[in-house]
Amino acid sequence: MAQVIVVTSGKGGVGKTTTSAALATGLAQRGKKTVVIDFDVGLRNLDLIMGVERRVVFDIVNVIQGEARLSQALIRDKRVENLSILPASQTRDKDALTKEGVAEIIEELGKDFDYILCDSPAGIEKGALLALYFADQAIIVTNPEVSSVRDSDRILGVLQSKSKRAEEKREKVKEHLLVTRYDAGRVERGEMLKLEDVREILAIPLLGVIPESESVLKASNTGTPVIMDAESVAGQAYKDAVGRFLGDELPHRFLDPEKKPGILKRLFGGRAA
Amino acid sequence: MSWLDFFRSTRKPEPAAASASAAKERLQIVLAHERIGRTREDFLPRLQQELVAVVARYVAIDPGKVNVNLDRGGDLSTLAIEIELPGPKAAVRTPAAAR
């Protein structure tokens, strides 16, 4: 049986699509047959982040409305084997998604794929509710910032009450915390919530910490999932997160500021420390 | 004070800049309340309405002169409802007040 994973956050702009693209690519690199679905109807962006925007012919709404077959709408990634993308519609509104339609798509994808990633839109409206409804596992993308943590807590509540698993009173959706845009320097200066604070408040298992990194913008500029940039700290952190998701035991990295001795320190040795 | 101290002080974090602890405290309080609200509906608007309605049964009050203040704290929350009652002149004309 395929595992359905929702990447969600409540708040916008915290890195859901960046994360969906990176994790889907990472899972495929590890040999798992993976499909990633964009649920943000009307504001699709996963295609751009994945670099397949010029290959979109049909989308999820076309499939739901019977205008195209699922196999026609799926875009196979050219860089990584085992990876497919199902884009959202850019022209329709969110009402074009129906629970029955999404259920059929997920059932059909489940026959061919190991992992079905659902990239949720922001908010807790229809698109976001449908993205999380069928989830077996949830990745909660959170920035170390008050509004993001609050919205993550809210979306955890929604998962526990409005998902299919909750409605059917089955075992609850497995939750993972992914802290993104973590700036260890600002944390050290007391300007940003510590990882431990976020963990304590949300109280769900930690999948990974993605450090704030210039490589994320560079990756989106070129349409290359950041996980493919093996040099970058963000890419490495995503790779670790994929490993942990698949059961590897890896220590969390990039939690301390990079130690670059400043010119003063070098001049005065230990005295200025 | 040696001139070196000038460089030294710039390397220490300013205590005033440590806003992260304020963020944590505020989050813990607001989430504690929101998590309670998840399991039952928000009763405050109805509570206010009913309280005001009860007072209005005995005293003619101006709905514009009702002030509701809520302060959600960590251990203790207070709901203060301040209802301005009309002066004796206005009260006399209601049968309930004229014995």
Side-chain angles (χ1 to χ4, degrees):
Chain A
M1 261 301 274
Q3 281 283 302
V4 181
I5 308 159
V6 62
V7 178
T8 186
S9 68
K11 190 177 182 301
V14 297
K16 282 182 297 297
T17 301
T18 299
T19 297
S20 300
L23 296 185
T25 306
L27 286 167
Q29 284 173 330
R30 292 280 298 257
K32 308 292 176 191
K33 286 186 184 160
T34 306
V35 58
V36 54
I37 309 176
D38 189 349
F39 273 83
D40 207 344
V41 171
L43 291 168
R44 84 165 166 229
N45 275 318
L46 182 69
D47 56 334
L48 265 180
I49 302 300
M50 294 289 302
V52 298
E53 72 279 5
R54 299 206 293 192
R55 296 169 59 203
V56 176
V57 185
F58 297 112
D59 56 59
I60 187 169
V61 173
N62 295 134
V63 177
I64 286 177
Q65 303 200 333
E67 296 154 355
R69 276 177 290 116
L70 183 57
S71 57
Q72 292 176 305
L74 283 177
I75 303 171
R76 290 175 75 119
D77 194 277
K78 285 181 175 167
R79 298 156 299 203
V80 186
E81 239 184 295
N82 303 319
L83 180 59
S84 295
I85 300 113
L86 180 57
S89 168
Q90 185 68 320
T91 49
R92 318 285 179 96
D93 61 59
K94 296 214 190 295
D95 291 329
L97 289 180
T98 62
K99 198 177 269 182
E100 297 72 28
V102 175
E104 265 178 54
I105 287 179
I106 287 187
E107 204 195 315
E108 209 176 324
L109 289 173
K111 294 175 195 157
D112 297 328
F113 290 93
D114 302 318
Y115 291 105
I116 302 170
L117 260 77
C118 304
D119 180 19
S120 173
I124 45 171
E125 304 300 315
K126 193 172 182 187
L129 291 180
L130 274 175
L132 67 79
Y133 185 72
F134 298 94
D136 301 305
Q137 307 196 42
I139 292 169
I140 313 295
V141 183
T142 306
N143 291 168
E145 181 269 326
V146 286
S147 52
S148 174
V149 176
R150 180 197 217 172
D151 290 1
S152 293
D153 193 76
R154 179 87 175 88
I155 210 81
L156 283 167
V158 174
L159 271 164
Q160 287 157 16
S161 61
K162 298 208 170 137
S163 62
K164 190 160 186 270
R165 278 176 174 263
E167 278 184 7
E168 293 173 354
K169 305 214 182 320
R170 286 190 291 148
E171 196 188 332
K172 73 169 195 162
V173 177
K174 191 173 176 196
E175 300 152 343
H176 307 268
L177 173 64
L178 188 76
V179 176
T180 56
R181 309 200 66 166
Y182 193 72
D183 187 333
R186 300 196 73 180
V187 169
E188 196 181 64
R189 292 195 295 275
E191 298 169 6
M192 183 180 265
L193 281 166
K194 286 198 289 276
L195 173 65
E196 285 318 310
D197 295 343
V198 180
R199 285 182 80 168
E200 185 190 327
I201 290 167
L202 292 176
I204 59 171
L206 180 68
L207 181 67
V209 181
I210 313 299
E212 174 79 65
S213 165
E214 290 181 2
S215 56
V216 173
L217 179 59
K218 210 167 80 189
S220 87
N221 285 341
T222 56
T224 323
V226 70
I227 198 167
M228 297 178 92
D229 183 354
E231 302 285 297
S232 78
V233 285
Q236 293 171 37
Y238 272 119
K239 202 167 183 120
D240 286 0
V242 170
R244 280 184 214 107
F245 188 83
L246 294 175
D248 300 351
E249 297 224 0
L250 300 165
H252 292 282
R253 297 193 279 167
F254 317 114
L255 302 182
D256 296 307
E258 275 182 74
K259 294 276 180 273
K260 275 186 199 147
I263 183 148
L264 280 175
K265 203 165 180 178
R266 270 183 278 152
L267 277 175
F268 299 116
R271 289 177 63 196
Chain B
M1 179 176 150
S2 109
W3 64 274
L4 249 177
D5 286 341
F6 173 76
F7 294 100
R8 226 170 267 165
S9 65
T10 59
R11 302 196 73 83
K12 289 268 186 258
E14 284 274 314
S19 52
S21 52
K24 186 185 180 186
E25 234 180 87
R26 290 176 59 221
L27 266 171
Q28 281 173 324
I29 291 172
V30 72
L31 290 183
H33 287 281
E34 287 179 356
R35 284 168 185 163
I36 296 168
R38 231 180 248 171
T39 42
R40 48 200 170 109
E41 59 166 333
D42 190 9
F43 60 88
L44 273 174
R46 275 226 331 262
L47 174 70
Q48 284 165 26
Q49 267 177 17
E50 288 176 21
L51 274 173
V52 172
V54 168
V55 176
R57 229 185 285 157
Y58 297 92
V59 192
I61 53 172
D62 180 350
K65 290 184 175 160
V66 177
N67 246 319
V68 180
N69 282 301
L70 176 66
D71 186 11
R72 293 187 154 122
D75 306 316
L76 182 76
S77 299
T78 55
L79 174 68
I81 301 185
E82 193 186 290
I83 303 172
E84 195 177 307
L85 300 181
K89 261 188 235 159
V92 167
R93 60 184 168 80
T94 66
R99 270 184 233 171

